[in-house]
Each structure stands twice: as C-alpha cells, then as structure tokens.
Amino acid sequence: MQKGEPRKSSFPLLKEFLDLKSAEVRAIVQLEALVNLRREISYAMDDLVPGEVMQRVRLVDIQLEKFSFILLAGINSTNLKWATTLHAMSLGMESIKLSGIQTVESGSILSELKQVSESDPPRVKASAERCVRFCDDFTKQTAELFEESVNVVGEAFNVDQHAVSVFIEAEVRSTIVFQFSRTASWAMRNVRAVLGQPPWDVLFPGTATGSLLFAHSISEIPEHELQQPRVAVVDRAEGDEDIPHAIKGIVLGHELPHLSHLGVRARQAKVVFINSEDTTTFKDFKKAWTSNSEDWVKLVVSLGVEPLRMEDAADSSRAEGVSDTHEKVVIDIPEPVAKRALVVAATDVRIST
C-alpha cells in the first residue's frame, strides 16, 4: 500500500502492527494487532471503488491473512493456557470471518466465543464442538467444490494421481481454518478432562460392522488381502495414509488433527473414526477385545455421552458399509395441509403437531 491507504485513520493500526511484528512479544499480541488491522482494512474496503487502490489493499489483506496462519501456528505450538486458548479462538474466528469464509456462521460463532469463559466448562465444550463442526463443514464444502474439477484437470495434464488426491487436503491445510481447528481441538481435549468425560475424540460418527482387525499402523494393513469389511483397531498413524477400501471403521490409539490428510479422507469415504486421547484408555479397550480378533463386530461412534461402543455382531446381518446413527423421525402431514406453507407459532407446537 502507498501512504494514506486505504485511509488515513488506518495508519495508527498499521504502525502498531509493524512495531509489534519486529518486537519480541508473544504471538497472541501480534495476532491481536493483525486482526485489528484487518478489521480496519475491511471497513475501509467498503468505501473504495474498484481500481488500483482497492487491488493494492486487497493484496495486503491476503498477505496479512497468510501471516495470521503463521502466528496461530506459533500459538498452537506453545504450552497453551485456557485464557490464551479462548482469546486465540476468538481472534482466529474473526480472521476466518474477515477472509469471507461462511461469514454468517463465522460471525455467529465469533459472538459466542466472545462470551465464553473458562469458568463455565460446559459452555466452553459446546462452543468448541461448534468450532470443530465449522471446520469439518468447511472441509466438506471445499471437497465438494474442487473434487470433480481437480480429477478432470489432473487427468488432462497427466498429473501424478497422488498429487491429485491430496490437492484438496493441501488447500484446506493452507488456510487459517486448519490452524484454528488445532486450537479448537486443544480446547475440546482439555475441557473433556475438566468435565471428567471419556478421552475419545470423534472424527466421524456412525455405525460400522465388519471383521475385527488389529494393526500396529494403517500403512501395514495389506489392502489386497482384505476380502470383507473390517473394523480396525490401530496403534499408530502418521496422518498422511490412505484408508484401505475394506476398512469401515477405525479406533486409533492416539490424537489426530481433524483436518489431517487421514481425517479428511475418513470423512470423504464415510469411514467411522474415533481416536483416543489417553494411552491407558486405549490399551484397556484393546485388551478387552484382543481375544475377539477376526470376529464380526459392530462399532458405534457418536457425539453423545457415550462416544465409543463396540459389541459382538456375530448374530446380526453382515451388511457392508457404514450406517447413520442419528434417529430418524417420520412426520405424517395430511395432504391438504402439506399443500400450503407451514408457519406455526412456537406456543402452538405440541407433541401431536
């Protein structure tokens, strides 16, 4: 930008950010100054007409967005505390909103995060869960946007298939949403400990049935030898593996970022996936089922009070695939009523309606 751009009132915020950027201060302080500057630029953009000045300002904002990724990554790599985490989540979500990503939902979550306090763990958990869902939805929408065109272009230019397959994940992981998901995951993990809840993190809920398989790592699972659906209990994963087609459910022995390559692939393939945040809990689970290796089991993963349940399914039908665990309610609307718009006051709602 040139002197006086985007407007004179922006100069104090620009100077503050540049001074802090070159000073030895905490990343959270720099991120706050950066968000303040981006907010000012966003307001100023409303008064600019399309042209050279707007283009320069827009390019500056893009570079600030990239730097916010670096700052939030630095915050995530430190020994996080509750006050820092909640502040970082608020700043991260505002950065996402300023980048124009799902502005209505991100704005709503931002308002919620500004009211959250570490003294209210249940509310922190609810807000963190909403943040994680936001990140998952962003990943899903990005995949739906690019998936078909990426395959077509990759094939047309004879691009290596692996490069084509990881393009979407790479795009997601290069955005501020990826770093924000790491911050939200820290909040989820620690608030579960505060509330005394089971140390399991759900990456993709659902129900999966198949023959029980134990493996040290996903990369060691011999896909060509799998002739039937499998539910895998896995000790380790690097996070960049592909999931064998026969695997319908995974119980992993350690934490995994929600937006890792493996996590994204699991959601795309609708593979039921849950990982443990506690080594002892995973070892106990594994020990309880070791004698059932190769038996037919049903894995149920949910976002409720009981995140993980596995049971013997030897007597049940061996239907392949994954089924939705959400209860479906059928509402019978009489024909005359169904033909007109339904607007019902909340006070008039009864169980029968």
Side-chain angles (χ1 to χ4, degrees):
M1 290 188 301
Q2 296 182 2
K3 186 176 180 180
E5 293 177 357
R7 55 187 182 185
K8 291 182 179 180
S9 59
S10 307
F11 179 76
L13 293 174
L14 176 59
K15 185 177 185 303
E16 179 186 16
F17 167 69
L18 293 175
D19 289 344
L20 290 173
K21 183 175 180 293
S22 58
E24 294 184 2
V25 297
R26 293 186 304 155
I28 189 72
V29 177
Q30 294 179 333
L31 182 59
E32 184 173 12
L34 184 149
V35 171
N36 290 338
L37 177 57
R38 289 195 70 197
R39 190 189 307 120
E40 165 64 18
I41 289 176
S42 176
Y43 292 151
M45 288 288 286
D46 294 336
D47 299 328
L48 295 178
V49 296
E52 186 178 347
V53 175
M54 176 178 282
Q55 184 179 24
R56 284 198 297 267
V57 174
R58 181 73 71 188
L59 289 173
V60 168
D61 187 58
I62 291 173
Q63 294 304 315
L64 289 172
E65 178 188 28
K66 292 179 179 179
F67 192 57
S68 67
F69 177 98
I70 296 172
L71 290 176
L72 194 53
I75 294 169
N76 286 330
S77 65
T78 62
N79 185 18
L80 288 172
K81 304 295 183 182
W82 271 116
T84 301
T85 301
L86 295 177
H87 189 32
M89 288 174 66
S90 179
L91 293 173
M93 183 53 71
E94 185 163 5
S95 292
I96 291 171
K97 180 176 182 293
L98 290 169
S99 296
I101 300 174
Q102 299 183 29
T103 53
V104 174
E105 178 65 6
S106 57
S108 176
I109 296 176
L110 175 60
S111 298
E112 181 178 316
L113 288 173
K114 288 182 177 180
Q115 304 300 320
V116 170
S117 167
E118 60 182 292
S119 62
D120 189 356
R123 189 171 181 181
V124 172
K125 182 174 183 292
S127 296
E129 286 176 343
R130 187 178 181 185
C131 290
V132 171
R133 288 195 302 271
F134 175 91
C135 297
D136 291 345
D137 289 343
F138 171 77
T139 304
K140 180 181 178 181
Q141 291 177 12
T142 303
E144 291 173 349
L145 177 64
F146 287 111
E147 189 166 20
E148 183 176 352
S149 57
V150 165
N151 291 326
V152 172
V153 173
E155 184 178 351
F157 286 90
N158 198 27
V159 178
D160 180 75
Q161 184 56 41
H162 177 72
V164 173
S165 66
V166 301
F167 175 84
I168 295 173
E169 292 95 301
E171 282 297 303
V172 171
R173 290 167 65 88
S174 68
T175 68
I176 184 68
V177 176
F178 171 69
Q179 292 299 338
F180 177 79
S181 73
R182 293 180 60 201
T183 315
S185 294
W186 185 95
M188 283 284 295
R189 180 171 64 254
N190 284 273
V191 79
R192 274 194 289 266
V194 171
L195 295 173
Q197 296 179 343
W200 295 100
D201 185 25
V202 177
L203 268 74
F204 188 78
T207 299
T209 56
S211 179
L212 184 59
L213 168 70
F214 291 92
H216 177 66
S217 67
I218 292 179
S219 60
E220 293 179 4
I221 299 176
E223 182 170 8
H224 64 280
E225 296 180 8
L226 303 180
Q227 304 298 323
Q228 58 184 351
R230 294 289 192 127
V231 172
V233 178
V234 184
D235 296 334
R236 299 292 305 172
E238 296 298 326
D240 58 355
E241 302 93 336
D242 289 328
I243 303 174
H245 293 296
I247 302 299
K248 305 303 178 183
I250 296 175
V251 180
L252 182 62
H254 61 86
E255 300 171 27
L256 186 74
H258 274 244
L259 300 190
S260 64
H261 172 85
L262 186 58
V264 172
R265 280 303 174 89
R267 281 187 288 275
Q268 288 178 323
K270 299 189 184 303
V271 174
V272 175
F273 203 132
I274 188 169
N275 57 269
S276 175
E277 298 171 337
D278 178 71
T279 303
T280 302
T281 300
F282 177 73
K283 287 181 177 179
D284 291 343
F285 172 84
K286 184 177 177 181
K287 183 179 180 180
W289 285 94
T290 300
S291 61
N292 297 83
S293 180
E294 302 298 329
D295 288 352
W296 202 263
V297 297
K298 179 169 73 170
L299 173 68
V300 181
V301 173
S302 73
L303 298 172
V305 178
E306 185 181 13
L308 171 64
R309 188 175 81 253
M310 193 150 74
E311 56 193 46
D312 181 25
D315 298 329
S316 64
S317 60
R318 300 192 171 192
E320 295 188 20
V322 178
S323 61
D324 191 352
T325 58
H326 299 294
E327 182 180 358
K328 295 178 176 58
V329 179
V330 178
I331 302 177
D332 185 18
I333 301 178
E335 183 65 20
V337 177
K339 289 184 178 180
R340 66 175 185 270
L342 295 179
V343 180
V344 182
T347 54
D348 296 330
V349 174
R350 302 288 185 272
I351 294 178
S352 60
T353 62

